[in-house]
Amino acid sequence: MPEHRLVLRHQDGEDWDYVAIEHLGPKATVDAAGTPISAAMRDLNLWHTDTFVNGPAWPEFVRAMGLGDQSAKTAGSVYVVSVYRAAPGHREQLEKSLNQSAPGDTASGNVLMQHLEGGPWQFLTVVRYNSWQDFASSEKNNVADTLKPGGGWLAVREHSSYHNDTLTDRIAP
């Protein structure tokens, strides 16, 4: 599915430069006898992390991320890519917290993916905002709710042992 991908470029946060999310369908096979990478290409990479996740169906992902027919209209979108590792015994609570939106959130789309194999985390979220202004408004709106018991930021912190957030913009498609 060569057209089923999203490439985001780091703006602020974690120490990677790009994240590529490729939809492989409901079943995927990895062939270890793939084409070897040339030395010139191999030497361009310092490191990479490949991770397989379970996420929404492609049509739902496209809608949430502003792709497909919406791609031209959402060219200025801002994406927040976050990974989370649950505290021991708190996986279900963390997943529930990640599925809840804050009252003042201005996000236009949100996807939650669950780790299958690869990275040292359990959940990956990608949240789309229509613009930097929408992202800033959401951040400002949520400051008052930050420490309210039972939800928002505090719930995520209570149920996770690790997380990081990275601000990105879209470079493909």
Side-chain angles (χ1 to χ4, degrees), residues 32-137:
T35 306
I37 299 172
S38 70
M41 291 303 292
R42 182 190 63 225
D43 293 343
L44 290 176
N45 291 321
L46 181 61
W47 62 272
H48 70 92
T49 302
D50 298 327
T51 302
F52 287 88
V53 298
N54 183 20
W58 183 247
E60 183 182 338
F61 186 84
V62 165
R63 181 186 49 73
M65 297 295 101
L67 306 177
D69 295 341
Q70 299 297 312
S71 203
K73 294 180 193 174
T74 61
S77 290
V78 175
Y79 299 80
V80 180
V81 178
S82 304
V83 294
Y84 301 87
R85 185 171 40 237
H90 288 251
R91 188 176 178 131
E92 289 78 21
Q93 296 95 326
L94 178 58
E95 182 177 6
K96 182 180 176 187
S97 294
L98 294 174
N99 276 316
Q100 295 174 348
S101 293
D105 194 5
T106 60
S108 302
N110 187 0
V111 293
L112 173 66
M113 294 173 261
Q114 296 182 17
H115 172 274
L116 294 175
E117 187 63 43
W121 42 263
Q122 294 155 329
F123 298 103
L124 172 112
T125 63
V126 182
V127 180
R128 180 176 63 87
Y129 295 89
N130 286 329
S131 65
W132 285 101
Q133 182 62 44
D134 283 358
F135 171 72
S137 294

Side-chain angles (χ1 to χ4, degrees), residues 15-30:
D15 60 351
W16 46 262
D17 291 324
Y18 301 97
V19 62
I21 300 171
E22 185 175 2
H23 182 263
L24 300 176
K27 190 173 186 178
T29 303
V30 176

Side-chain angles (χ1 to χ4, degrees), residues 128-171:
R128 180 176 63 87
Y129 295 89
N130 286 329
S131 65
W132 285 101
Q133 182 62 44
D134 283 358
F135 171 72
S137 294
S138 184
E139 291 294 297
K140 182 180 177 186
N141 294 343
N142 290 324
V143 168
D145 292 329
T146 300
L147 298 177
K148 285 187 178 175
W153 182 86
L154 195 56
V156 170
R157 298 300 301 160
E158 180 181 354
H159 301 301
S160 64
S161 64
Y162 165 84
H163 92 280
N164 70 50
D165 308 308
T166 303
L167 297 173
T168 69
D169 63 342
R170 185 176 79 221
I171 60 171

